[in-house]
Amino acid sequence: MNEIIKNVRDAEAKAAEIKDGALSKASVILECAETEAVKISAANEAECKALKDGAVKKAEAEADRLYKCAVDNKRREAKEYADKLSSKADAAANEVVRRITSGCC
């Protein structure tokens, strides 16, 4: 009977030892996981920032291209308008010169 009790106590002690070891390992694993999670979070943050910066640069480049295109179009329209008015002004100026030189006025 004493031997059975001793075996039970030995088994309980061994179980407690195994449990303590498992808890210790679990604590180390948890600490490593938390450290790795911080590293992954930092890497993800850096990657997201790089993606955002790239998208912003791409959007700025596209906006600059569209702006230059719009400015070029408006310059062309303004030149066409000025040329049109200039040709009308040339005709009117020629008419005034003709009248003056012919003594009509």
Side-chain angles (χ1 to χ4, degrees), residues 52-68:
K52 182 190 92 173
D53 290 346
V56 167
K57 285 180 183 178
K58 186 176 178 181
E60 285 175 345
E62 179 66 8
D64 284 344
R65 186 189 69 76
L66 292 174
Y67 172 77
K68 288 175 184 175

Side-chain angles (χ1 to χ4, degrees), residues 18-47:
I18 292 170
K19 179 182 172 186
D20 289 343
L23 289 174
S24 178
K25 285 181 183 179
S27 177
V28 169
I29 291 170
L30 178 62
E31 187 177 320
C32 289
E34 288 173 347
T35 301
E36 189 65 21
V38 168
K39 288 178 186 177
I40 290 170
S41 178
N44 285 340
E45 185 176 336
E47 183 179 346

Side-chain angles (χ1 to χ4, degrees), residues 35-95:
T35 301
E36 189 65 21
V38 168
K39 288 178 186 177
I40 290 170
S41 178
N44 285 340
E45 185 176 336
E47 183 179 346
C48 288
K49 184 179 182 326
L51 289 172
K52 182 190 92 173
D53 290 346
V56 167
K57 285 180 183 178
K58 186 176 178 181
E60 285 175 345
E62 179 66 8
D64 284 344
R65 186 189 69 76
L66 292 174
Y67 172 77
K68 288 175 184 175
C69 185
V71 168
D72 289 345
N73 285 339
K74 290 301 178 182
R75 281 187 181 145
R76 184 182 35 68
E77 289 175 9
K79 184 178 181 328
E80 289 172 359
Y81 180 70
D83 290 347
K84 182 178 172 183
L85 291 181
S86 177
S87 67
K88 288 182 181 180
D90 286 345
N94 289 336
E95 179 62 22

